[in-house]
């Protein structure tokens, strides 16, 4: 992302909160994995969205109309001894020169300067209730301002959760964000295709998991957006199966839910295919039903339609199909009303996608489902999970299928960002037979 892109985002937020408000946002902290080993650092998505600043422990202040500058950053200072061990730090100089801060200060000055920045603002925006230590720290600064009331200091009277405005802004992706998400989806789609070529009976689920990450890393996406699901056979009926340790058996399907993260943006794709390269008649029947449901759902993913329409379309197709298979009995309309599909399709048909795999943004506004708008990105991912239920005919038992794509809402309709991963059963079989 360019400096001008981050500047545009901060300006939009400043305009939303108004000249008499102040926004405060901390960066992520390093997290200990065990003893003196840390998890790989990943910046807070909100902090990254507004600054691009990659280091832990920093603080962002947005002060609209502040004469000395609206973008203030507190960060770790340069430290040659620590940098010898952990790598270079940007320091206050880098915060200004490389990331466009109007003003930057070392973290040691945070408690001294923050009350000064808060003084005179009527409203204070910050992530209220997300961290008790953060709440206490911010209220401590506010109390310092209140204690100086006799000198003319003015403390905020209104406190607003920053997410209420920032997450609405993040929901609509800019052209720059969409370009990154296209690339991320393309990388993941290509990796899914490679797994289809590689797969054969006897391989371990872990082998496909490793190959997916390898393919993404080769394409420039070193990190995954979430732990991969590689579920052979009945494991596909476990929604968040992540053990990925069993051998793949001849005659089974394998469900792979995996996506890379590129430049801080997630992809999220699921494909289900036969381990041996050929769908059995029963597998193909279930697969084609889920594919039909997904296509019906994607058709409803258009501007002006509400968020729940893709889910409603998928449920209608799946419920009707389950009746035709003899798994459900009754009228489709009544079964939908009674949610009779829930034992076999228990999750929603999608979620927002962006910097987080389950991205931020409201699904309802004032009690009504949100209307889809150009720039929104969502997943469309119906599935069927036919575990060993007596209502399920024996030939279908143990089959789990999910098909998931990343869909951008456009002015004209939609764009399937992950279209490069085959999902037509003939295309899958052709690709796998070629190897």
């Amino acid at each position: 992302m360019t400096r001008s892109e981050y500047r545009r985002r901060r300006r939009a937020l400043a305009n939303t909160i108004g000249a008499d408000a102040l926004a405060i946002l901390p960066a992520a902290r390093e997290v200990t994995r065990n003893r003196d080993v840390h998890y790989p650092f990943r910046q807070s998505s909100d902090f990254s969205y507004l600054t691009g600043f990659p280091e832990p422990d920093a603080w962002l202040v947005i002060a609209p109309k502040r004469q000395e500058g609206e973008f203030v950053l507190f960060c770790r200072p340069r430290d040659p001894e620590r940098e010898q061990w952990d790598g270079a730090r940007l320091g206050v100089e880098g915060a200004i020169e490389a990331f466009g801060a109007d003003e930057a200060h070392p973290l040691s000055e945070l408690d001294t300067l923050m009350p000064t920045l808060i003084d005179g603002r009527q409203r204070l925006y910050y992530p209220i209730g997300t961290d008790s230590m953060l709440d206490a720290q911010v209220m401590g600064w506010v109390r310092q301002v209140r204690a100086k009331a006799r000198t003319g200091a003015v403390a905020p009277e209104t406190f607003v959760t920053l997410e209420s405005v920032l997450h609405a802004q993040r929901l609509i992706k800019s052209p720059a964000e969409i370009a990154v998400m296209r690339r991320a989806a393309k990388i993941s789609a290509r990796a899914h295709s490679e797994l289809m070529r590689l797969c054969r009976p006897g391989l371990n689920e872990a082998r496909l998991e490793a190959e997916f990450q390898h393919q993404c890393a080769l394409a420039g996406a070193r990190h995954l957006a979430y732990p991969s699901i590689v579920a052979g056979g009945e494991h596909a009926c476990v929604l968040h199966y992540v053990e990925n340790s069993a051998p793949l058996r001849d005659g089974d399907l394998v469900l792979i839910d995996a996506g890379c993260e590129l430049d801080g943006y997630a992809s999220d794709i699921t494909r289900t295919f036969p381990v041996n390269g050929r769908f059995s008649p029963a597998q193909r029947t279930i697969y084609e039903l889920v594919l039909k449901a997904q296509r019906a759902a994607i058709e409803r993913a258009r501007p002006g339609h509400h968020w729940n329409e893709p889910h409603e379309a998928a449920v209608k197709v799946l419920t009707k199909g389950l009746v035709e298979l003899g798994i459900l009995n009754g009228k489709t309309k009544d079964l939908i009303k009674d949610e009779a599909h829930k034992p076999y399709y228990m999750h929603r048909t999608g979620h927002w996608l962006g910097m987080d795999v389950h991205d931020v943004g409201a699904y309802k506004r004032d009690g009504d489902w949100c209307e889809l708008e150009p720039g929104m990105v969502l997943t469309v991912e119906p599935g069927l999970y036919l575990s060993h239920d007596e209502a399920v005919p024996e030939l279908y038992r143990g089959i789990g299928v999910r098909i998931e794509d990343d869909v951008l809402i456009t002015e004209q309709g939609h764009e399937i960002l992950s279209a490069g991963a085959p999902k037509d059963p003939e295309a899958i079989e052709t690709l796998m037979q070629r190897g």
Side-chain angles (χ1 to χ4, degrees):
M1 295 293 167
T2 63
R3 282 175 57 168
S4 62
E5 173 73 8
Y6 293 116
R7 190 182 308 115
R8 180 195 64 78
R9 297 172 184 179
R10 292 190 297 270
R11 170 50 38 202
L13 180 62
N15 289 339
T16 299
I17 66 176
D20 58 350
L22 189 81
I24 299 174
L25 182 65
R29 296 188 287 260
E30 287 187 300
V31 179
T32 301
R33 180 182 184 273
N34 60 296
R35 199 165 169 79
D36 57 353
V37 176
H38 290 92
Y39 285 104
F41 179 72
R42 203 275 190 184
Q43 185 59 280
S44 153
S45 294
D46 284 341
F47 197 89
S48 185
Y49 176 82
L50 290 171
T51 69
F53 194 75
E55 294 184 2
D57 302 326
W59 289 76
L60 162 68
V61 177
I62 293 181
K65 304 299 183 181
R66 180 172 178 265
Q67 189 172 11
E68 299 87 346
E70 296 185 342
F71 174 25
V72 182
L73 202 61
F74 294 85
C75 61
R76 302 180 305 181
R78 298 295 304 272
D79 184 335
E81 183 177 353
R82 288 313 314 165
E83 291 178 51
Q84 177 70 55
W85 288 86
D86 302 326
R89 293 183 180 184
L90 290 158
V92 294
E93 302 86 356
I96 294 171
E97 295 170 6
F99 291 89
D102 297 314
E103 194 175 294
H105 303 278
L107 285 171
S108 60
E109 298 179 11
L110 180 68
D111 288 331
T112 301
L113 295 178
M114 194 66 84
T116 303
L117 292 165
I118 292 172
D119 184 7
R121 302 286 170 164
Q122 296 298 312
R123 294 187 310 284
L124 183 58
Y125 289 78
Y126 79 98
I128 298 172
T130 60
D131 182 335
S132 59
M133 291 177 61
L134 171 64
D135 289 333
Q137 195 165 11
V138 172
M139 288 302 105
W141 295 327
V142 171
R143 282 193 296 271
Q144 288 185 48
V145 179
R146 287 173 178 163
K148 296 179 180 179
R150 292 183 181 180
T151 67
V154 178
E157 296 180 356
T158 303
F159 300 87
V160 187
T161 178
L162 181 60
E163 293 91 334
S164 64
V165 290
L166 180 56
H167 290 178
Q169 182 175 319
R170 279 180 55 189
L171 182 55
I172 306 297
K173 274 57 180 180
S174 70
E177 291 179 283
I178 290 168
V180 174
M181 294 189 72
R182 277 199 187 100
R183 287 166 50 211
K186 184 176 182 179
I187 290 170
S188 292
R190 187 180 298 123
H192 275 274
S193 298
E194 289 301 320
L195 298 194
M196 293 178 190
R197 292 189 181 95
L198 174 66
C199 187
R200 62 182 183 275
L203 281 185
N204 195 281
E205 293 167 342
R207 176 67 178 85
L208 297 185
E209 177 186 24
E211 185 64 24
F212 185 87
Q213 186 157 10
H214 173 67
Q215 291 294 330
C216 291
L218 286 177
R222 288 187 55 216
H223 302 290
L224 299 184
Y226 55 95
S228 298
I229 297 169
V230 182
E234 295 179 29
H235 295 150
C237 294
V238 178
L239 298 185
H240 290 162
Y241 173 83
V242 291
E243 291 182 21
N244 302 349
S245 60
L248 296 168
R249 300 183 304 181
D250 193 5
D252 279 350
L253 296 176
V254 58
L255 182 156
I256 301 177
D257 186 338
C260 74
E261 179 178 284
L262 180 68
D263 296 340
Y265 286 82
S267 57
D268 186 2
I269 304 173
T270 305
R271 291 294 184 263
T272 307
F273 53 89
V275 170
N276 62 15
R278 292 288 183 189
F279 289 95
S280 72
Q283 290 169 349
R284 194 180 183 103
T285 296
I286 302 303
Y287 185 89
E288 289 182 340
L289 174 55
V290 174
L291 183 59
K292 182 179 179 181
Q294 198 217 23
R295 286 173 171 160
I298 290 175
E299 180 59 30
R300 304 303 298 171
R302 296 178 176 276
H305 292 189
H306 66 68
W307 162 260
N308 209 42
E309 287 189 49
H311 180 67
E312 292 169 351
V315 167
K316 184 176 181 179
V317 171
L318 292 174
T319 302
K320 183 179 179 181
L322 290 170
V323 171
E324 292 172 352
L325 293 172
I327 296 173
L328 293 179
N329 295 296
K331 294 182 179 180
T332 300
K333 184 178 180 180
D334 294 336
L335 292 168
I336 291 173
K337 183 179 179 181
D338 295 338
E339 297 187 325
H341 62 278
K342 281 289 188 73
Y344 315 108
Y345 178 44
M346 61 291 295
H347 60 78
R348 303 288 300 177
T349 301
H351 52 78
W352 301 129
L353 185 68
M355 298 188 80
D356 299 303
V357 66
H358 291 169
D359 206 32
V360 297
Y363 292 95
K364 281 190 171 183
R365 293 173 185 154
D366 300 322
D368 296 321
W369 292 110
C370 290
E371 189 173 288
L372 298 177
E373 302 175 34
M376 293 177 170
V377 183
L378 62 149
T379 66
V380 180
E381 50 178 307
L384 281 175
Y385 313 94
L386 306 178
S387 56
H388 288 274
D389 187 317
E390 290 185 0
V392 177
E394 191 170 349
L395 75 163
Y396 300 128
R397 292 179 190 173
I399 293 178
V401 174
R402 183 165 64 253
I403 306 170
E404 177 181 20
D405 280 297
D406 303 344
V407 179
L408 165 69
I409 304 300
T410 65
E411 295 283 353
Q412 297 75 29
H414 59 252
E415 175 187 345
I416 303 175
L417 303 179
S418 49
K423 63 181 178 182
D424 182 84
E426 287 81 8
I428 290 173
E429 290 184 342
T430 298
L431 179 61
M432 295 187 71
Q433 294 305 312
R434 288 176 181 169

